[in-house]
């Protein structure tokens, strides 16, 4: 009792406030250091985007709170229910955006109505149902008293992601994965096109529009909220930061509940944040954060041995599959096999509920693709239907998503695992260290059920990554929350101070190159119009010819989001959408029509370097005759 009284005293809370204040001040100072001379832009634009993202998160919480209660009741701890409510609300917003966009009903007033309704629902929820429990917060601080300082490990990656999220999309991290190329080719470009045409339709010039896009629906909604693609581009990047913060919170909530240990929860959340992969992905408009948040919650709810909510776990698995197709084998199939293995203990009902939940929340994307392409998983699983793809396009797509020739043997795949995962600096070297700690404490760390489930999913990830991916490090990031659950549980009973020190050291080593990279591109911080940057990529005469933004067709260049042209004045085609069988002229194949049929005032911008790269990397890529080594312009006629 004396200890509790001491921890509840004003002195105790002053120490807590000191830690929080120190962390916030240190994080802000690091942001300013990375911004350099652009620090005024950082502070003003950062405050604006944080304001928007907080409003957005609160609206999502309002949308998810009541459905969470209907499905789960009072099952689970308050923290797990709160994080799950926010995640479910984000998922509902994604599917609402998809439905409204498909019907052509999505616009600014409708988008604002979604946010306003979410805010009103949250206010109603707080007034009618909330039961604040200040004592629970005090008990958590008491349990984590000696380890609270390790929570400061969350601050540097938060600063890196917050500053990096204000860098012009497509620039940060350079050629390293997560390369910004994908962001401006389709993660933001596809929502941009749907925003401009006020409806979600198939885009035959961009095959990625056929992918499930729960994460990109957040970007599309942001564009309608902020009044344009480029007005919303930094909010779209901060949305991914929100997903990653909620993922760390989900790991914290799962460990707090399953281990009844504050230190375990803190170390689990810190483990998610300290890996360089986390701030890298949290600062760009990718979709891994969404998949990991919903997938982590699916694991957390399905592993509850008391009062399981398998339907809710299925819902989160369905949302994860709707964010990234790789979640289908990694999360849905993995968890289904787990339930099937336990059917003799639980019966068949949990498996049925899980499948129903997944189907309900993933089926909108499958139905859309079945109607668009005759294949619910297009452009994957092409044996079920190749849509508008020609045989050459099928070959090109499949070759681009299989390992290189030197990596197809058993030795080559094993070598890729060592290079891309175990010794990849973006994973911070944690697989070896965390595995050693987890093995040392495996008998005490977690419930047997959660331990077996987590290890089983990790084994499934290794098998899937080795056998069914093109062996890129980013496709292994599902290990981050799974590994964090293991390390957090182990740290509660085995060498917690040593674990915290190891995470701090590994984090500092990994954060240094990230800080350097953010500093290098800080002049582009908060840039409002991408064309200010894009024109610097071309020779002065090309940039001058494009200054008045005439109708332009891009050949080879697919980073269309960088061209802030008015709707209808920009044409482009990804390398996967070039149908060379239909045209004898390679230039016509890239244009998608005869050059003679283009408007007379249209310019054709040809990028020889990109065309050469495509020819080396992909199969059956037509290359028109080139007259220069740098990007140059042709007239349509």
């Amino acid at each position: 009792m004396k200890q509790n009284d001491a921890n509840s005293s004003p002195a105790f809370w002053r120490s807590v406030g000191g830690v929080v204040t120190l962390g916030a001040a240190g994080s802000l100072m690091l942001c300013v250091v990375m911004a350099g001379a652009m620090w005024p832009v950082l502070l003003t634009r950062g405050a604006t985007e944080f304001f928007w993202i907080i409003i957005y998160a609160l609206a999502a919480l309002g949308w998810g709170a009541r459905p969470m209660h209907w499905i789960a009741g009072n099952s689970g701890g308050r923290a797990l229910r709160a994080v799950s409510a926010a995640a479910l609300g984000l998922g509902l917003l994604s599917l609402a955006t998809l439905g409204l966009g498909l019907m052509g009903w999505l616009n600014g007033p409708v988008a604002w109505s979604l946010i306003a309704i979410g805010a009103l629902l949250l206010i109603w929820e707080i007034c009618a149902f909330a039961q604040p429990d200040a004592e629970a917060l005090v008990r958590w601080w008491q349990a984590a008293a000696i380890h609270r300082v390790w929570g400061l490990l969350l601050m540097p990656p938060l600063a890196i992601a917050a500053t990096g999220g204000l860098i012009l999309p497509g620039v940060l991290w350079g050629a390293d994965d997560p390369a910004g190329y994908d962001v401006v080719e389709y993660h933001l470009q596809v929502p941009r096109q749907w925003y401009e045409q006020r409806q979600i339709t198939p885009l035959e010039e961009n095959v990625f529009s056929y992918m499930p896009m729960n994460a990109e629906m957040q970007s599309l909604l942001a564009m309608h909220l902020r009044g344009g693609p480029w007005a919303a581009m930094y909010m779209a990047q901060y949305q991914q930061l929100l997903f990653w913060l909620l993922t760390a919170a989900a790991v914290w909530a799962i460990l707090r509940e399953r281990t009844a240990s504050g230190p375990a929860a803190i170390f689990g959340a810190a483990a998610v944040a300290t890996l360089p992969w986390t701030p890298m992905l949290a600062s760009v408009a990718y979709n891994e954060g969404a998949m990991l948040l919903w997938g982590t919650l699916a694991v957390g709810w399905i592993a509850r041995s008391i009062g399981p909510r398998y339907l809710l776990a299925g819902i989160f698995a369905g949302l994860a599959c709707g964010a990234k197709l790789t979640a289908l084998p990694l999360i849905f199939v993995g968890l289904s096999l787990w339930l099937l293995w336990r059917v003799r203990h639980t019966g068949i009902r949990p498996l049925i509920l899980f499948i129903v939940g997944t189907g309900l929340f993933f089926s909108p994307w499958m139905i859309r693709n079945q109607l668009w392409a005759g294949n619910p998983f297009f452009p994957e699983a092409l044996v079920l239907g190749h849509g508008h793809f020609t045989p050459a396009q099928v070959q090109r797509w499949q070759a681009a998503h299989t390992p290189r020739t030197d990596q197809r043997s058993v030795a080559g795949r094993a070598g890729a695992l060592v290079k891309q995962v175990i010794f990849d600096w973006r994973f911070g070297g944690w697989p070896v260290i965390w595995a050693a700690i987890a093995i040392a404490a495996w008998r005490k760390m977690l419930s047997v059920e959660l331990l077996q489930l987590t290890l089983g999913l990790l084994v499934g990830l290794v098998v899937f990554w080795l056998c069914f991916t093109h062996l890129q490090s980013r496709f292994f990031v599902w290990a981050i929350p799974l590994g964090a659950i293991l390390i957090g549980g182990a740290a509660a009973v085995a060498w917690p101070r040593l674990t915290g020190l190891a995470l701090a050291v590994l984090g500092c080593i990994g954060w240094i190159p990230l800080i350097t990279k953010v500093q290098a591109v800080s002049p582009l911080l908060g840039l409002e119009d991408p064309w200010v940057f894009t024109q610097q990529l071309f020779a002065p005469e090309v940039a001058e010819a494009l200054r008045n933004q005439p109708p332009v067709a891009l050949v080879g260049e697919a980073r269309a989001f960088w061209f802030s042209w008015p709707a209808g004045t920009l044409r482009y085609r990804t390398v996967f959408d070039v149908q060379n069988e239909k045209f004898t002229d390679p230039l016509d194949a890239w244009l998608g029509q005869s050059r003679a049929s283009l408007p007379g005032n249209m310019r054709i911008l040809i990028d020889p370097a990109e065309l050469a790269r495509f020819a080396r990397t992909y199969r059956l890529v037509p290359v028109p005759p080139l007259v220069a080594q740098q990007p140059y312009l042709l007239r349509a006629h």
Side-chain angles (χ1 to χ4, degrees):
M1 181 63 68
K2 292 181 180 180
Q3 180 66 28
N4 289 349
D5 292 341
N7 286 343
S8 301
S9 67
F12 166 77
W13 287 107
R14 282 196 297 271
S15 69
V16 172
V19 172
V20 173
T21 303
L22 177 63
S27 180
L28 183 60
M29 289 178 62
L30 182 56
C31 288
V32 171
V33 169
M34 286 185 287
M38 298 295 291
W39 68 266
V41 176
L42 167 76
L43 295 181
T44 55
R45 192 64 189 251
T48 301
E49 299 304 331
F50 263 116
F51 170 80
W52 280 100
I53 211 64
I54 289 171
I55 296 297
Y56 193 84
L58 291 175
L61 183 60
W63 275 104
R66 217 23 27 197
M68 261 297 302
H69 181 76
W70 293 335
I71 299 170
N74 292 322
S75 179
R78 288 177 180 271
L80 182 59
R81 293 202 307 272
V83 175
S84 299
L88 180 57
L90 288 169
L92 292 174
L93 284 174
S94 287
L95 294 180
T97 302
L98 171 65
L100 292 167
L102 286 170
M103 292 183 287
W105 297 347
L106 187 63
N107 53 44
V110 170
W112 273 109
S113 297
L114 292 175
I115 300 302
I117 292 171
L120 292 174
L121 288 172
L122 180 61
I123 294 172
W124 174 68
E125 186 75 19
I126 293 173
C127 294
F129 301 102
Q131 299 176 0
D133 187 357
E135 292 183 2
L137 180 62
V138 173
R139 287 195 298 271
W140 176 77
W141 281 109
Q142 292 169 349
I146 63 172
H147 300 284
R148 194 175 304 112
V149 68
W150 298 116
L152 294 176
L153 289 172
L154 298 170
M155 298 303 174
L158 176 60
I160 294 170
T163 306
L166 295 175
I167 300 295
L168 180 70
V171 176
L172 192 59
W173 313 131
D176 288 342
D177 200 16
Y181 190 99
D182 291 352
V183 174
V184 290
E185 181 191 31
Y186 67 93
H187 285 298
L188 288 179
Q189 173 59 21
V190 169
R192 168 206 175 174
Q193 290 182 251
W194 287 339
Y195 170 84
E196 291 175 339
Q197 64 190 28
R198 294 297 192 266
Q199 188 170 12
I200 295 176
T201 61
L203 305 176
E204 292 197 3
E205 69 272 20
N206 196 324
V207 67
F208 296 100
S209 64
Y210 291 83
M211 290 289 193
M213 288 191 159
N214 272 341
E216 287 80 0
M217 289 298 97
Q218 308 289 327
S219 302
L220 177 59
L221 187 58
M223 291 176 185
H224 283 285
L225 290 171
R226 303 295 293 274
W230 300 283
M233 58 186 173
Y234 298 120
M235 182 177 175
Q237 297 191 142
Y238 269 43
Q239 286 171 331
Q240 301 312 306
L241 174 57
L242 174 63
F243 276 116
W244 278 97
L245 288 174
L246 288 174
T247 301
V251 170
W252 179 88
I254 292 169
L255 287 170
R256 186 69 185 91
E257 181 172 323
R258 299 310 298 268
T259 64
S261 168
I266 290 176
F267 283 132
V272 172
T274 51
L275 299 186
W277 263 122
T278 300
M280 291 180 78
L281 286 167
S283 57
V284 295
Y286 267 52
N287 51 16
E288 275 77 10
M291 185 193 84
L292 266 58
L293 169 62
W294 290 318
T296 301
L297 289 171
V299 171
W301 281 100
I302 210 169
R304 291 186 50 77
S305 57
I306 300 175
R309 292 296 183 266
Y310 300 105
L311 179 65
L312 183 60
I315 288 172
F316 284 127
L319 290 171
C321 295
K324 197 173 180 69
L325 270 179
T326 51
L328 197 61
L330 292 176
I331 297 173
F332 171 68
V333 173
L335 294 179
S336 296
L337 291 175
W338 164 259
L339 291 174
L340 185 62
W341 180 63
R342 290 181 52 82
V343 73
R344 64 183 183 275
H345 301 296
T346 62
I348 195 66
R349 185 169 178 269
L351 178 59
I352 294 174
L353 287 174
F354 176 75
I355 293 174
V356 168
T358 303
L360 285 174
F361 277 70
F362 181 51
S363 59
W365 294 104
M366 292 191 294
I367 294 170
R368 182 204 67 162
N369 269 22
Q370 182 64 39
L371 295 175
W372 282 4
N375 174 356
F377 306 109
F378 181 80
E380 303 292 354
L382 291 172
V383 294
L384 300 178
H386 54 76
H388 64 278
F389 269 10
T390 64
Q393 288 176 278
V394 171
Q395 289 188 48
R396 196 179 304 144
W397 179 267
Q398 292 176 336
H401 295 86
T402 54
R404 302 193 313 261
T405 304
D406 62 316
Q407 294 179 331
R408 294 176 186 173
S409 65
V410 174
R413 293 175 187 269
L417 181 66
V418 171
K419 180 180 179 181
Q420 294 287 331
V421 177
I422 297 178
F423 293 112
D424 189 318
W425 70 275
R426 291 165 294 187
F427 281 112
W430 66 262
V432 175
I433 297 174
W434 290 16
I437 297 175
I439 291 171
W442 74 273
R443 292 183 180 274
K444 302 177 181 179
M445 55 183 290
L446 298 169
S447 67
V448 174
E449 184 182 16
L450 183 56
L451 175 62
Q452 291 176 341
L453 174 58
T454 306
L455 290 175
L457 290 173
L458 279 171
V459 171
L461 171 61
V462 173
V463 173
F464 174 78
W465 190 86
L466 286 172
C467 300
F468 299 103
T469 74
H470 44 305
L471 305 181
Q472 290 186 358
S473 179
R474 179 163 49 89
F475 286 86
F476 206 85
V477 295
W478 174 226
I480 293 176
L482 298 178
I485 291 172
L486 290 176
I487 193 61
V493 294
W495 317 305
R497 294 182 183 276
L498 180 60
T499 303
L501 181 61
L503 290 175
V505 172
L506 291 174
C508 290
I509 294 174
W511 297 331
I512 291 173
L514 300 187
I515 292 172
T516 303
K517 288 177 179 288
V518 173
Q519 285 180 312
V521 293
S522 61
L524 299 177
L525 197 148
L527 198 64
E528 296 184 358
D529 184 357
W531 179 243
V532 176
F533 166 77
T534 310
Q535 62 183 340
Q536 300 176 20
L537 304 177
F538 310 124
E541 61 273 14
V542 174
E544 177 61 25
L546 296 174
R547 184 172 61 86
N548 294 324
Q549 302 179 355
V552 174
L554 307 180
V555 174
E557 176 62 77
R559 294 170 290 189
F561 191 79
W562 277 351
F563 293 79
S564 51
W565 271 212
T569 60
L570 179 70
R571 299 188 185 190
Y572 76 103
R573 191 166 294 271
T574 78
V575 66
F576 300 110
D577 295 288
V578 179
Q579 298 181 334
N580 39 307
E581 294 102 326
K582 296 185 177 181
F583 301 94
T584 57
D585 186 339
L587 184 58
D588 291 347
W590 275 95
L591 296 171
Q593 64 186 99
S594 170
R595 179 180 172 184
S597 65
L598 293 175
N601 64 337
M602 177 165 283
R603 305 292 183 91
I604 302 173
L605 179 61
I606 299 179
D607 191 332
E610 282 294 279
L611 289 170
R613 182 176 70 87
F614 290 148
R616 291 193 308 269
T617 307
Y618 304 111
R619 292 183 182 176
L620 305 174
V621 177
V623 179
L626 303 175
V627 299
Q629 295 182 345
Q630 300 297 323
Y632 62 92
L633 285 173
L634 294 177
R635 291 188 176 274
H637 303 303

